[in-house]
Amino acid sequence: MIAKTPNGEAVAPNSEDVSALLTTIFNAKTSQASLDASYAVSELLVTSGGFRGLDSYGIVAEIKKAATDKKSGTRRESAMILLGALFERLPPKQALTEVLFLRGQKLLPLALDALADKGAVVKESAQYALDALYANLRPEALVVGLLPELITYLGRSTGKWQGTVGALELLGRMADKAKVGMGSKEEEKTKEVLREIMGRRLERLIPVVENGMHDLKAEVAKQAVKTMTSLTTLLSNDDVAPRIPLLIKTMQNPSSTTLQQAIHALSQTTFVAIVTSPVLALLTPLLERSLNTPTTSQEVLRQTVVVVENLTKLVHDPVEAKTFLPRLKPGVKGVENRASLPEVRELASRALAVVNKAMGDDDGNVASGAISRTTTEEVLVVMNDIVRRHSGATDATLLNLVVEYTSELTQEVVNIRELQRIGLSVEPYFVSLFPQQLTAVDISDSVQKHYIEEDHRKFGQPIKDASDEVEIVNADFSLAYGGMLLLSHTNLRLLKGHRYGLCGRNGAGKSTLMRSINEGKLEGFPSKDELKTCFVEHNQGEDADLTIIDFVSKDPELAASGRERISEVLSEVGFDAGPEGRQQQKVGSLSGGWKMKLALARAMLMGADVLLLDEPTNHLDVSNVKWLQEYLKSHTEITSLIVSHDSGFLDEVCTDIYHYEGKKLVNYPGNLADFVKVKPEAKSYYTLSASNAQFKFPSPGLLTGVKSQTRAIVRMSNVSYTYPGSSKPSLSNVTCQLALASRTAIIGENGAGKSTLIKVLTGEVIPQEGKVEKHPNLRIGYIKQHALEHVEMHMEKTPNQYLQWRYANGDDREVLMKQTRVLTPEDKAQMEKFVDLGDGKGARRVENLMGRQKYKKSFQYEVKWIGMLPKNNSQVSRETLLEWGFQKLIQEFDDHEASREGLGFRELQPKVISKHFEDLGLDPEIANHNEISGLSGGQKVKVVLAGAMWNNPHMLVLDEPTNFLDRDSLGGLAVAIREYKGGVVMISHNEEFVGALCPEQWHVVDGQLTHRGHLAVLAERFEDSRPGSSVGSSAVSSASASAVNSGAEDGGDMMFKKKKKRTKLTRNQLKEREVRRKLRHIDWLNSPKGTPHPPDTDDEA
């Protein structure tokens, strides 16, 4: 029973009462009795004795004395139980005791040392004490109060290994507590605060934990590795995350080999995310070691300075730069002065310039516009000034300790701009020091007011929204897909009439967000009854046999509009009415562009308040994109949320940009250009080679008989094709050809016949007139207009499994599904026919083709006859077999041989396939473990691209390759095509993409093909294409001078022969050749500087 005064206040217990309780604690027969007495002491201190009782009653002294009593395990156990009870009950009620425990009395080392006790009950009680203290500290107190004590303890040269393990384990628990999760908004906010302020301490933490990784005691080393793994979760950097296991291995086993592997892995990393102090804290020691080790090879030095440059470019905070980069600067300077290779010295000079720029000016001043951090000393001055205004503090020495502690807490929250947490960091600690409770509130409010004003001075006043804006959505939510957290406790705010561009990497969750909104699954988003939303996406599952007007009219959501209104809206978007109009065409006959316009027309009919547009410009030609822009801008009553990789479109229509950053949506007012000004790292939205993604295409290999890059390897002659059920031909009398050097763009309006031309060229369909010839060994990588068709039957497979299935039998199974390979009833009847070879053995039936070899200017095939032994096989020329009608049999054998040749150096093993996916920009982790159904549109396109490139094709055929790919991937694809050694032909409405890559254009209008010369490639689209750059000598440049379609290398037929024997020239012929060479040399001397010297060939030209 606690004694009270007449007015209700608790009376402080006398020393005898407390001594009796302490005697009970230390002499109790059971642990429970000791714990009960410990709780009683704690309750006395909370209700009446206060924090002063810890010293005045000798409680702390008794704990220290009993904890070190070597003769009595019971007293040591009881000391830990009492310590745990005090840690558990006092800090939540009297925050000031937290300061005493951690700063004043230094009780933490007692509990850590007790973990090494021989008695199991003592160790258990010590663990209870540590757990109680950890559980009752706020995030700021964990970092300001507990963390320094743990670092000090780990830095001791003496001590038991069990205590070291306990300290390391506490560090790991702190880092694990900060991990992003799916808790409540308050929980996740607390984690975010802990993650930020603990991340700033990694510079001190990493060396301490790394030292533990090399401890001779295996248990310490094991726990240190586990703790280091937990600490790396504080980085929140997707670029470095895949390399973390290797970096930890390098710390664990520091050798030149592991260091070289780590530097190589970092040099292969594309850095995109902003680099903050946690990342620098992890990487700086490794980079510093590489730069300063005398035995580091020139190649590793080259990679190191490249990593330093790439990292430093993304350090946006000069204060962080000045913390870490001075450690790297001397090493980079040393490489610049002493590296033996000029290239390495040049790279070091470049890196040094970037480092200097990031750190500020040469005088060491912080860069212009940078905002300096608030220091503890500055807060201490403010705090002392405010506290001095209030008198009545009961203990001056303790007051100074509290002021110092709260100044450190305040400094942490001020620097992360969580100013609303200042009250919790100040008020609870002063309440017990001043008799008037309002004094603590005044001190807290004064400090908070001061730093709010300071924040406004540094960062400006918060922007107030215009009062005339109508808010239609203000939702706080988290978003996950499968086991992947996409957005964590973020906010989406939409204003009426605004058009929001949604930007982020492929796989960030843009389409998932829009789909969740459409399905009414997004927490906090108004229901469709309150706010009508319409999702416009690429959906190719329409009923192909219905006419367009019938297809739209049967939609239950649109039927109420009436057939007349539906026809009117369809006419608006280009579907003209009437018996012969487009409204009467079948849905299945529409091209991709018209299908997209049909989806937009349906959205217009729904009269949505919010339009959700997923890649609306895909498949649309220039005029239709212009129409869509004007439609969106003119309808100011409609709010739009747009996902698009068309930078020009976003520039034209957007009023705001929402950007994915660290699992949050961040709003930037203005269009894409305004966004890039604020976020320079987003410049890949404008330039192709500024891309952060890197694609690497495999080399196509040799083609028999093709010695020239400009020699035609596939040719169409007088081809016409009409779709079944259509009266108008899609292609009419088309003639064209392609070579290895081809970089050809097929241009035309929606429905002009571009995709049909590609399908005929690749064997997807067979023309009714004309012929298509190709090199027998030619391998074509083909990506359809609706690229996801390639994988829509394999949604349950992982990308790795899909590739294994596709090439399991040594052939590309997609090739087997082409019309040129599918046997029609006529083909099957052909196989039943008897043929007479004229060798006297009579008529026989062909069973199969067994082999192939060169024969004159063509090939001859080994034919196996039905019912006859292999020794009776015959060699039959290609021309004879074609004459007999065995085109598809020849095609099957040629495709098999071409595939076998392409896969000759490919091992269909998961590791090799993972590397292939990585080369094509898909994370191996996703390729190996995520089902295709769970991938984003852009990731699925990468799967399709990897599938097409697996057998090293000679020709890459891309139908609308820019659809679904984000800007990073688009830039990566452009650079890969530029460097690719095979031929490329593409359809794309993306003028920027085509202009940067394709000097040759085929214009298709109403099924007619027109060649448009060799145009100049817009090299400025590539940021690295500047005067003097070696990039200009890539395959694109060679294509600009291509002789394909010029007739210069037309052989008249598609005979590919071996190099013919050279004939000896006469004396006159030698003289004439010499004259030609001299004339060419004179022309070259008169040409502009830099023109390559023409080759000395025997050609007349």
Side-chain angles (χ1 to χ4, degrees):
M1 176 71 72
I2 298 171
K4 295 188 178 181
T5 62
N7 61 8
E9 293 180 4
V11 176
N14 58 44
S15 301
E16 289 76 15
D17 294 336
V18 176
S19 294
L21 284 172
L22 290 176
T23 302
T24 304
I25 291 169
F26 291 115
N27 296 305
K29 299 291 184 183
T30 64
S31 300
Q32 185 60 47
S34 180
L35 181 63
D36 291 341
S38 298
Y39 280 154
V41 169
S42 302
E43 201 62 34
L44 276 175
L45 293 174
V46 167
T47 55
S48 56
F51 64 90
R52 295 177 185 84
L54 289 169
D55 274 334
S56 62
Y57 297 126
I59 295 173
V60 172
E62 281 294 328
I63 290 174
K64 289 181 177 179
K65 184 178 178 182
T68 55
D69 188 341
K70 295 183 180 179
K71 293 180 180 179
S72 174
T74 302
R75 283 178 60 78
R76 295 198 301 274
E77 179 195 0
S78 298
M80 291 301 106
I81 289 174
L82 176 55
L83 191 59
L86 295 174
F87 285 166
E88 183 180 347
R89 297 295 175 91
L90 263 63
K93 301 290 179 63
Q94 292 193 5
L96 180 56
T97 56
E98 172 189 312
V99 185
L100 293 173
F101 290 149
L102 293 171
R103 293 286 177 90
Q105 303 291 352
K106 304 283 185 182
L107 295 174
L108 181 66
L110 285 178
L112 289 170
D113 285 340
L115 292 173
D117 200 283
K118 292 179 181 178
V121 289
V122 179
K123 288 191 280 190
E124 189 179 330
S125 301
Q127 191 61 55
Y128 156 65
L130 291 170
D131 291 343
L133 178 63
Y134 175 81
N136 287 293
L137 295 178
R138 292 170 49 250
E140 297 91 330
L142 281 172
V143 176
V144 170
L146 183 61
L147 192 60
E149 294 301 306
L150 292 174
I151 292 174
T152 302
Y153 186 86
L154 289 169
R156 296 194 314 184
S157 56
T158 58
K160 299 290 186 179
W161 66 264
Q162 292 92 338
T164 303
V165 169
L168 288 169
E169 192 263 341
L170 275 174
L171 282 178
R173 282 169 65 185
M174 288 170 64
D176 290 336
K177 187 176 181 177
K179 281 184 182 176
V180 178
M182 289 289 286
S184 67
K185 187 175 181 181
E186 291 73 23
E187 289 170 347
E188 292 303 313
K189 188 65 185 176
T190 301
K191 289 180 182 180
E192 187 180 339
V193 169
L194 178 57
R195 195 162 54 248
E196 284 217 37
I197 59 180
M198 193 174 176
R200 294 174 189 267
R201 303 294 180 98
L202 277 185
E203 183 187 8
R204 288 185 63 198
L205 275 173
I206 286 176
V208 172
V209 179
E210 186 178 359
N211 191 47
M213 294 166 76
H214 306 142
D215 198 280
L216 296 176
K217 196 67 179 176
E219 289 86 347
V220 175
K222 184 178 178 181
Q223 181 60 51
V225 171
K226 191 175 177 183
T227 301
M228 183 65 80
T229 305
S230 298
L231 289 177
T232 55
T233 61
L234 299 171
L235 268 61
S236 302
N237 187 294
D238 292 337
D239 305 329
V240 180
R243 312 296 184 193
I244 283 174
L246 180 58
L247 297 175
I248 292 176
K249 181 184 173 185
T250 305
M251 294 181 196
Q252 194 176 359
N253 305 302
S255 67
S256 57
T257 304
T258 54
L259 180 62
Q260 184 175 341
Q261 289 172 345
I263 296 296
H264 176 73
L266 290 172
S267 70
Q268 299 301 308
T269 301
T270 303
F271 292 100
V272 182
I274 294 173
V275 173
T276 53
S277 61
V279 179
L280 290 170
L282 179 68
L283 299 183
T284 299
L286 293 170
L287 296 169
E288 190 178 11
R289 206 168 96 214
S290 176
L291 290 168
N292 297 329
T293 303
T295 56
T296 305
S297 69
Q298 292 294 302
E299 175 59 22
V300 176
L301 283 176
R302 184 190 69 78
Q303 293 171 349
T304 307
V305 294
V306 167
V307 172
V308 170
E309 180 185 357
N310 291 339
L311 271 178
T312 308
K313 283 178 179 176
L314 291 167
V315 179
H316 288 189
D317 187 342
V319 176
E320 291 179 346
K322 292 179 80 67
T323 304
F324 293 95
L325 296 183
R327 293 170 56 185
L328 297 175
K329 186 175 176 180
V332 177
K333 184 73 175 171
V335 173
E336 182 190 30
N337 294 334
R338 296 189 297 272
S340 57
L341 295 178
E343 180 198 2
V344 178
R345 293 198 298 272
E346 184 182 343
L347 288 170
S349 299
R350 220 166 65 187
L352 194 61
V354 174
V355 168
N356 286 331
K357 183 179 178 184
M359 288 171 57
D361 60 30
D362 295 333
D363 298 327
N365 299 320
V366 174
S368 174
I371 296 170
S372 60
R373 296 263 174 83
T374 300
T375 65
T376 304
E377 290 73 22
E378 290 171 345
V379 180
L380 199 56
V381 170
V382 173
M383 194 79 76
N384 277 322
D385 184 52
I386 292 172
V387 169
R388 270 200 302 269
R389 299 175 202 162
H390 300 82
S391 59
T394 54
D395 189 328
T397 304
L398 191 55
L399 178 63
N400 290 334
L401 192 63
V402 171
V403 168
E404 185 181 327
Y405 187 77
T406 52
S407 295
E408 290 183 42
L409 293 176
T410 303
Q411 179 249 348
E412 293 292 350
V413 294
V414 167
N415 280 329
I416 60 173
R417 299 188 69 197
E418 292 291 338
L419 304 180
Q420 73 279 7
R421 298 181 72 90
I422 290 178
L424 291 173
S425 300
V426 177
E427 182 187 336
Y429 300 95
F430 284 100
V431 167
S432 304
L433 283 174
F434 291 91
Q436 298 294 326
Q437 186 176 357
L438 287 176
T439 304
V441 176
D442 288 343
I443 292 172
S444 172
D445 289 346
S446 299
V447 174
Q448 187 162 8
K449 182 183 177 184
H450 173 86
Y451 281 105
I452 288 174
E453 291 172 356
E454 187 71 9
D455 187 80
H456 290 170
R457 184 184 65 78
K458 286 183 177 180
F459 300 98
Q461 292 279 351
I463 299 172
K464 294 181 180 178
D465 294 320
S467 56
D468 57 342
E469 297 278 15
V470 179
E471 180 182 277
I472 57 173
V473 176
N474 194 340
D476 292 310
F477 62 93
S478 293
L479 183 68
Y481 187 89
M484 191 181 299
L485 182 64
L486 301 173
L487 291 167
S488 176
H489 294 284
T490 192
N491 176 267
L492 177 66
R493 182 169 181 262
L494 303 181
L495 301 175
K496 187 171 183 178
H498 282 230
R499 298 176 293 279
Y500 298 89
L502 201 55
C503 296
R505 288 178 173 180
N506 273 341
K510 302 184 293 294
S511 296
T512 304
L513 172 61
M514 297 177 84
R515 199 169 285 111
S516 298
I517 293 173
N518 183 56
E519 294 170 358
K521 294 180 180 177
L522 196 74
E523 180 187 354
F525 200 92
S527 66
K528 287 196 174 183
D529 297 332
E530 301 173 58
L531 193 73
K532 194 160 187 179
T533 59
C534 180
F535 188 22
V536 181
E537 63 173 337
H538 291 269
N539 179 13
Q540 307 304 333
E542 294 92 348
D543 192 335
D545 295 328
L546 288 177
T547 64
I548 291 162
I549 184 76
D550 291 339
F551 171 70
V552 179
S553 299
K554 83 164 193 174
D555 189 322
E557 288 189 63
L558 304 178
S561 302
R563 200 175 177 91
E564 187 176 331
R565 171 61 184 158
I566 290 171
S567 178
E568 183 183 324
V569 172
L570 286 171
S571 298
E572 275 186 53
V573 298
F575 293 95
D576 44 322
E580 299 299 320
R582 281 191 183 272
Q583 293 183 17
Q584 299 303 319
Q585 287 185 4
K586 300 285 178 69
V587 172
S589 69
L590 293 179
S591 68
W594 282 103
K595 282 183 179 178
M596 195 63 207
K597 291 177 77 175
L598 178 60
L600 288 167
R602 293 172 67 190
M604 290 166 62
L605 283 163
M606 288 180 184
D609 299 309
V610 178
L611 274 183
L612 307 174
L613 301 167
D614 192 4
E615 300 292 356
T617 61
N618 279 6
H619 312 297
L620 294 182
D621 56 29
V622 176
S623 57
N624 284 317
V625 170
K626 182 70 176 172
W627 170 85
L628 179 61
Q629 290 172 357
E630 295 304 320
Y631 174 81
L632 292 174
K633 288 193 291 185
S634 61
H635 287 72
T636 54
E637 76 285 359
I638 298 176
T639 301
S640 305
L641 195 58
I642 306 164
V643 173
S644 177
H645 300 128
D646 185 337
S647 54
F649 179 75
L650 291 178
D651 245 355
E652 187 66 30
V653 302
C654 287
T655 58
D656 303 81
I657 298 291
Y658 265 117
H659 192 237
Y660 279 71
E661 294 177 20
K663 302 195 186 317
K664 302 285 185 189
L665 287 175
V666 183
N667 181 273
Y668 294 89
N671 63 6
L672 191 63
D674 299 323
F675 166 60
V676 172
K677 287 176 187 173
V678 179
K679 300 281 286 185
E681 63 270 24
K683 64 182 176 182
S684 62
Y685 282 99
Y686 281 104
T687 60
L688 294 174
S689 63
S691 165
N692 298 308
Q694 294 177 345
F695 289 6
K696 183 182 176 184
F697 287 172
S699 178
L702 299 174
L703 272 175
T704 309
V706 178
K707 304 300 180 185
S708 169
Q709 287 286 99
T710 57
R711 175 74 182 272
I713 55 175
V714 61
R715 177 183 298 155
M716 290 171 57
S717 305
N718 306 316
V719 165
S720 296
Y721 180 79
T722 306
Y723 279 101
S726 176
S727 58
K728 184 180 177 183
S730 294
L731 292 177
S732 180
N733 200 32
V734 171
T735 299
C736 59
Q737 61 189 33
L738 295 165
L740 288 173
S742 293
R743 292 291 185 276
T744 304
I746 303 178
I747 309 295
E749 293 186 354
N750 295 133
K754 304 184 298 297
S755 294
T756 307
L757 173 60
I758 289 287
K759 288 179 180 178
V760 172
L761 200 65
T762 57
E764 291 285 315
V765 297
I766 302 170
Q768 288 95 357
E769 296 177 25
K771 64 178 180 177
V772 180
E773 303 168 276
K774 68 183 186 68
H775 190 290
N777 283 4
L778 181 66
R779 296 184 297 277
I780 296 178
Y782 174 44
I783 296 181
K784 299 177 183 178
Q785 181 181 42
H786 309 299
L788 308 190
E789 286 181 18
H790 292 271
V791 293
E792 63 187 7
M793 295 185 293
H794 308 279
M795 291 298 185
E796 76 291 349
K797 293 186 176 76
T798 66
N800 201 311
Q801 290 168 344
Y802 163 69
L803 205 64
Q804 290 182 57
W805 168 88
R806 182 165 168 177
Y807 290 97
N809 301 320
D811 285 307
D812 183 352
R813 290 192 181 181
E814 292 215 350
V815 172
L816 305 180
M817 294 187 281
K818 291 182 179 179
Q819 286 194 24
T820 51
R821 292 289 297 276
V822 177
L823 295 179
T824 62
E826 292 80 9
D827 296 322
K828 292 175 182 176
Q830 175 67 31
M831 294 297 293
E832 298 297 320
K833 288 183 181 178
F834 285 81
V835 293
D836 190 349
L837 194 57
D839 56 0
K841 295 182 180 180
R844 289 155 286 180
R845 282 167 54 206
V846 174
E847 181 179 334
N848 210 343
L849 301 182
M850 307 302 294
R852 185 185 73 184
Q853 64 184 41
K854 288 291 295 179
Y855 176 69
K856 295 182 180 178
K857 294 182 178 182
S858 182
F859 288 98
Q860 61 180 9
Y861 296 80
E862 182 183 348
V863 179
K864 170 79 170 63
W865 306 102
I866 290 179
M868 299 181 73
L869 294 173
K871 67 178 182 180
N872 296 312
N873 290 357
S874 306
Q875 295 289 342
V876 182
S877 71
R878 182 187 183 91
E879 288 69 30
T880 303
L881 287 169
L882 288 171
E883 191 179 324
W884 288 346
F886 291 106
Q887 291 94 337
K888 288 191 178 177
L889 198 62
I890 293 172
Q891 187 67 54
E892 180 184 352
F893 190 85
D894 286 346
D895 285 343
H896 176 74
E897 284 294 295
S899 184
R900 184 180 62 82
E901 189 178 281
L903 296 171
F905 301 101
R906 287 282 200 188
E907 293 180 74
L908 203 64
Q909 295 180 355
K911 280 188 177 179
V912 181
I913 294 172
S914 296
K915 180 65 173 69
H916 179 66
F917 276 116
E918 191 174 10
D919 288 343
L920 272 300
L922 188 68
D923 186 340
E925 187 68 21
I926 293 174
N928 293 337
H929 302 295
N930 290 29
E931 291 185 359
I932 293 174
S933 58
L935 304 185
S936 70
Q939 289 169 329
K940 287 174 184 171
V941 171
K942 291 176 185 177
V943 173
V944 173
L945 190 60
M949 299 303 293
W950 176 254
N951 65 347
N952 305 325
H954 301 100
M955 179 79 63
L956 187 57
V957 180
L958 304 167
D959 194 347
E960 296 284 7
T962 57
N963 293 346
F964 296 107
L965 288 178
D966 61 13
R967 288 295 304 187
D968 281 347
S969 300
L970 189 60
L973 179 62
V975 174
I977 288 175
R978 185 182 67 177
E979 304 299 332
Y980 181 51
K981 302 303 181 188
V984 179
V985 57
M986 68 177 78
I987 296 173
S988 178
H989 294 302
N990 190 321
E991 188 179 340
E992 171 193 24
F993 192 73
V994 168
L997 292 169
C998 299
E1000 182 178 4
Q1001 295 184 359
W1002 297 350
H1003 286 254
V1004 182
V1005 181
D1006 294 332
Q1008 301 283 338
L1009 178 67
T1010 307
H1011 299 277
R1012 295 279 175 91
H1014 299 292
L1015 309 176
V1017 176
L1018 300 178
E1020 64 270 14
R1021 295 289 191 190
F1022 293 99
E1023 200 179 54
D1024 55 1
S1025 291
R1026 54 188 182 277
S1029 171
S1030 60
V1031 176
S1033 60
S1034 67
V1036 177
S1037 302
S1038 63
S1040 64
S1042 168
V1044 181
N1045 294 311
S1046 66
E1049 294 203 33
D1050 288 4
D1053 54 22
M1054 291 291 285
M1055 301 300 183
F1056 295 92
K1057 52 188 182 293
K1058 292 181 179 177
K1059 193 172 181 180
K1060 61 186 180 180
K1061 190 175 179 181
R1062 294 174 68 92
T1063 56
K1064 191 173 181 181
L1065 300 179
T1066 65
R1067 185 178 296 175
N1068 284 338
Q1069 287 173 328
L1070 288 170
K1071 285 181 178 178
E1072 289 169 0
R1073 186 180 70 179
E1074 192 59 34
V1075 169
R1076 289 197 301 273
R1077 289 184 175 180
K1078 285 181 179 178
L1079 288 172
R1080 276 198 296 270
H1081 185 68
I1082 292 168
D1083 288 340
W1084 175 72
L1085 290 173
N1086 293 324
S1087 63
K1089 189 175 181 181
T1091 304
H1093 194 288
D1096 282 332
T1097 67
D1098 292 338
D1099 297 340
E1100 291 292 335

